[in-house]
Amino acid sequence: MIDLRSDTVTKPTPAMRRAMAEAEVGDDVYGEDPTVNRLQERAAEIFEKEAAIFVPTGSMGNQTAVKLHTRPGQEVVIEERGHIYNFEMATMSAFSGVLARPVKSNDGSGILTWDEIASAIHAKAAYYVAPTGLVALENSHNLAGGSVLTRDRTEDICARAHEKNLPVHLDGARIFNAAAALGETVADLARPADSVMFCLSKGLGAPVGSMLLGKREFIDEARVVRKMLGGGMRQAGVLAAAGLIALEESPKILPADHAHAKLLAEGIAELPGVKIDPEKVVTNIVIFDVTGTGLSADGICAQLRERNVLASGFGSSIRMVTHYDVSRSDIESALRELRSVLAN
Ligand code: TLP
């Protein structure tokens, strides 16, 4: 099987498995797991933030941040395809009592300008309009095809949000991909945001886990919210051990994933009835519209599955994601199978 459904499907490397087997552990609810503590310290150091906390999932990291930055009855301004809004089970309303205020990015890139964000902010609103409590950004932007938010744009948005006393949370599930594509450090991309979440379990390849980072006081409060959500893990060092390897070793292999995604996008662009601009594929996510093929996205994915290629259907589009378990020859095979499905 060539599994292009997501970069979440990566299997732990032999080095990760060894580290997991040998991990020194303790009870992390008491703060006594030395491997978790090391991972948290190392992540904070790399991101140049005061503190970090290990959470089981990216969703828990994001929703913990939403909970801490807002109070019930407020709105969260977010790009309309943002993960926090579309793929986190309405948790922001169920758990934090807030409403998403989705905003369209007019150029279709998924990357908002300050003016687009400003038009959705209710700052000194009339008392009967819900006030904005948070601006949520995403880098890279998953459902917008892995597009990237530059350092300048992030700085601009955060500075202007802060002028209005609004905090900014950055969903950096794939911020290492963004950093590799932009030639920036993750610290510089995340610096202006009040909090950032990144996933160890996506392109970095760890089996489980994400990190939430911010000021020390914020992370102390995050520990309480994580427990509230049932995310207080015990001998989590077996997971953190793989996370440490992911953090140190995996960023350097991401450019290969990006080259594979570009190759895939260029091949797809030549197929009949599909719509994609390969120029816009800069990280590891390839999304293409299949309306013009006369077939449904799910129908194409089902036929690909029979040919040992896995992809995800999202409405009228298909998403393929590259990662370290996919080689250049796998990309060539996937293209060959897709060409053959569309020719039938
Ligand atoms: N994304 C998953 C699916 O939920 C769509 C994927 O396969 O891409 N932020 C972003 C930008 C994400 O893409 C994801 C997961 C998360 C947060 C949530 O992470 P987890 O799955 O660890 O809760």
Side-chain angles (χ1 to χ4, degrees):
M1 277 290 180
I2 300 170
D3 197 344
L4 297 165
R5 286 172 301 174
S6 185
D7 48 9
T8 58
V9 302
T10 45
K11 304 282 194 323
T13 62
M16 286 179 195
R17 287 186 188 274
R18 266 196 310 277
M20 292 172 81
E22 290 162 12
E24 227 189 306
V25 295
D27 191 328
D28 183 48
V29 173
Y30 299 130
E32 289 174 2
D33 188 301
T35 312
V36 171
N37 291 341
R38 201 142 43 84
L39 174 63
Q40 292 173 164
E41 279 156 25
R42 187 66 188 121
E45 192 175 79
I46 290 172
F47 277 76
E48 299 173 25
K49 294 280 190 202
E50 279 181 23
I53 183 169
F54 185 49
V55 286
T57 63
S59 301
M60 192 184 288
N62 281 335
Q63 295 301 329
T64 297
V66 171
K67 177 79 176 172
L68 291 175
H69 287 307
T70 61
R71 55 185 169 73
Q74 292 186 323
E75 289 188 350
V76 175
V77 174
I78 184 165
E79 200 276 333
E80 64 177 3
R81 286 167 287 174
H83 194 279
I84 291 177
Y85 170 43
N86 291 279
F87 288 100
E88 296 183 16
M89 318 288 299
T91 305
M92 72 162 85
S93 64
F95 183 58
S96 298
V98 294
L99 193 67
R101 173 64 56 182
V103 182
K104 194 177 176 61
S105 76
N106 290 315
D107 66 0
S109 67
I111 304 303
L112 295 173
T113 62
W114 170 252
D115 288 345
E116 288 165 341
I117 291 172
S119 69
I121 288 177
H122 304 149
K124 286 195 185 112
Y127 77 88
Y128 48 80
V129 175
T132 308
L134 175 67
V135 175
L137 303 176
E138 187 172 317
N139 199 12
S140 64
H141 192 313
N142 182 352
L143 265 286
S147 55
V148 291
L149 187 54
T150 61
R151 177 177 164 183
D152 283 355
R153 182 71 64 89
T154 314
E155 285 171 356
D156 182 52
I157 291 171
C158 293
R160 307 238 219 156
H162 291 154
E163 277 168 21
K164 292 185 179 292
N165 289 323
L166 284 176
V168 179
H169 171 67
L170 175 58
D171 175 348
R174 298 184 178 83
I175 198 165
F176 281 92
N177 293 87
L182 290 164
E184 298 278 2
T185 63
V186 289
D188 282 340
L189 291 180
R191 191 176 322 281
D194 300 274
S195 54
V196 57
M197 183 283 294
F198 77 93
C199 295
L200 295 159
S201 59
K202 299 206 164 49
L204 300 186
V208 177
S210 295
M211 309 297 298
L212 178 64
L213 301 101
K215 292 234 181 284
R216 186 165 305 282
E217 202 183 330
F218 175 88
I219 295 303
D220 287 344
E221 289 172 11
R223 191 161 292 108
V224 178
V225 176
R226 181 185 68 173
K227 192 75 178 75
M228 215 181 246
L229 290 169
M233 297 183 286
R234 301 294 176 173
Q235 285 71 39
V238 289
L239 301 175
L244 271 164
I245 293 186
L247 195 55
E248 303 296 349
E249 301 300 327
S250 302
K252 53 180 170 262
I253 58 161
L254 297 178
D257 295 345
H258 297 179
H260 290 155
K262 185 69 111 183
L263 184 70
L264 184 61
E266 284 165 355
I268 291 170
E270 288 170 8
L271 302 177
V274 301
K275 230 167 65 185
I276 184 171
D277 180 355
E279 283 288 304
K280 295 195 173 138
V281 174
V282 295
T283 58
N284 66 330
I285 300 181
V286 179
I287 297 182
F288 52 103
D289 185 283
V290 294
T291 314
T293 62
L295 299 167
S296 72
D298 286 343
I300 294 172
C301 289
Q303 287 195 58
L304 284 173
R305 179 180 277 272
E306 283 170 19
R307 295 156 183 267
N308 294 333
V309 177
L310 299 179
S312 311
F314 286 92
S316 62
S317 296
I318 291 178
R319 185 184 75 160
M320 293 181 166
V321 186
T322 59
H323 50 79
Y324 68 58
D325 283 335
V326 172
S327 66
R328 189 186 164 100
S329 79
D330 290 335
I331 297 294
E332 285 159 359
S333 306
L335 272 173
R336 200 168 45 245
E337 298 305 338
L338 181 61
R339 193 174 302 121
S340 146
V341 167
L342 297 183
N344 282 333

